Amino acid sequence: MKALLVGTSNGIIAGGYPAAIRADHRLTEVRNMSVGASPALFAAYRLHGVDLSAYQAAFLETAVNDAACARADSFSVPTMRKALAATVDILQSAGVEPLGLVLPGRTMDRYTAEVVAGQREVFASAAVWFLDGPRLLDGLARLLGCNIEAFFRDSAHLKTDIARVIVAAFLGSFTQYRTPAFADPPGGMRYATLPEITPAGWQAETKQVSNSLISDTFHRIGAEGISLRVPSGMALAGLACAGNVSSAILAVGGERSVLKDFRFEQGASARVMVSPFKEPLRPRNGLIRIQALPSTPMGQAIERTYTVPKDAAESLGVAYI
């Protein structure tokens, strides 16, 4: 049986929990699509273009970065929760069994507590097996007579041996992988793809980005800008940018204007990252305008955008790219 792993930097640390997943004798192949610093909103995007029919299970792990995003006020906890629900929906609709790994960072502040509670709710409501990291670590700390902090190598990452042990225990807690039956997708969400990108008076230069994580076409955005023609009733949740070509602050305008900083740190060349808006951005007159500020180098924004219908977006507050 084949599985996907969609996680954070904890999912790419040598000797960490992926080693326990790969050691499960029921899995013949594990494709690791983890990206450091990625929140739940990126998980749905990462699955785009993947032939999900080739996989039977998918491990999802984003709690530590969702909490970091909430702490930095870059997007809301409810939006992150709905992004995770969307990812679960994508997998279950394709017949792939989601398996949740709720692994937050070392500090259980109010942001982490909200994220963990939201992830528990999403997984439980969709009948998804999940590892409740905080509860398991609390029990382990009581058993060993130590503090939970002793299990972490730093504020965001578990020690590798602890990560392997708890994920191995999780994998041993059920006898077989199965896709649970459910009546409706979590939150009743449906997806569409923006059918058109409208150049604003110029021919947008495109660049194909292809690596082990993603293959997609990006559009170069300059001071002239481009306009996205958004289908009626849909909203934009964020922009995906290629780290090896992006270096700009983009001004994005719909019913309100926001600035997004896409100046990547050195060494981010392999990344394609999603930068979410704090709340989904709705178009004015059907158009969302994106342009690089004149004082910054050229930027890149992704062509493909996932959205949900207006009635769902109003009640759920989420759209996806």
Side-chain angles (χ1 to χ4, degrees):
M1 186 173 65
K2 297 181 179 181
L4 295 167
L5 168 57
V6 186
T8 66
S9 53
N10 278 297
I12 56 178
I13 293 176
Y17 75 74
I21 293 175
R22 290 194 173 95
D24 191 311
H25 65 87
R26 293 164 290 187
L27 299 176
T28 58
E29 178 184 322
V30 178
R31 180 181 176 186
N32 193 341
M33 301 179 68
S34 300
V35 175
S38 59
L41 190 65
F42 192 28
Y45 172 74
R46 275 176 286 181
L47 293 175
H48 180 80
V50 176
D51 181 8
L52 294 178
S53 66
Y55 299 91
Q56 291 73 50
F59 296 85
L60 303 174
E61 181 254 321
T62 67
V64 63
N65 292 329
D66 287 0
C69 286
R71 203 172 290 116
D73 200 30
S74 59
F75 71 130
S76 67
V77 172
T79 299
M80 288 179 281
R81 182 168 59 246
K82 292 149 197 172
L84 181 63
T87 307
V88 169
D89 182 15
I90 290 171
L91 292 168
Q92 290 185 324
S93 297
V96 179
E97 180 177 6
L99 296 162
L101 302 176
V102 182
L103 300 174
R106 182 172 56 196
T107 303
M108 185 59 76
D109 57 12
R110 68 181 182 90
Y111 303 104
T112 301
E114 286 183 49
V115 167
V116 168
Q119 294 204 350
R120 287 170 176 159
E121 177 187 337
V122 168
F123 290 139
S125 65
V128 171
W129 280 100
F130 70 97
L131 166 64
D132 194 325
R135 287 176 179 163
L136 194 153
L137 291 173
D138 182 65
L140 188 60
R142 292 174 184 272
L143 180 66
L144 298 177
C146 65
N147 295 322
I148 287 181
E149 287 79 4
F151 300 141
F152 287 82
R153 58 191 292 178
D154 56 39
S155 63
H157 304 104
L158 285 164
K159 292 179 178 178
T160 54
D161 55 345
I162 295 297
R164 290 196 308 273
V165 165
I166 64 174
V167 171
F170 166 68
L171 292 171
S173 67
F174 54 91
T175 58
Q176 63 180 357
Y177 292 89
R178 82 286 179 272
T179 300
F182 60 99
D184 298 299
M189 304 177 79
R190 296 293 185 272
Y191 307 94
T193 300
L194 282 180
E196 179 183 7
I197 286 212
T198 306
W202 60 292
Q203 185 60 45
E205 178 187 345
T206 62
K207 179 180 180 64
Q208 183 71 20
V209 175
S210 183
N211 54 42
S212 61
L213 293 172
I214 201 73
S215 179
D216 225 326
T217 301
F218 287 70
H219 287 255
R220 181 174 294 278
I221 297 176
E224 304 93 337
I226 65 171
S227 295
L228 302 180
R229 186 172 298 282
V230 182
S232 176
M234 296 186 179
L236 187 69
L239 295 173
C241 291
N244 60 333
V245 291
S246 297
S247 182
I249 296 176
L250 298 185
V252 187
E255 87 289 5
R256 69 183 193 280
S257 294
V258 295
L259 298 179
K260 298 300 294 184
D261 190 344
F262 290 112
R263 292 174 295 182
F264 285 78
E265 296 179 3
Q266 187 174 6
S269 60
R271 290 185 181 178
V272 174
M273 295 296 293
V274 167
S275 181
F277 305 128
K278 186 175 179 182
E279 299 294 343
L281 187 63
R282 305 190 191 285
R284 182 186 296 116
N285 300 322
L287 295 176
I288 289 180
R289 176 83 172 170
I290 307 175
Q291 62 187 124
L293 298 187
S295 60
T296 66
M298 301 289 274
Q300 295 278 346
I302 191 69
E303 172 184 8
R304 190 169 288 113
T305 302
Y306 293 96
T307 60
V308 293
K310 182 178 180 181
D311 57 352
E314 286 181 343
S315 60
L316 299 170
V318 68
Y320 296 95
I321 102 167

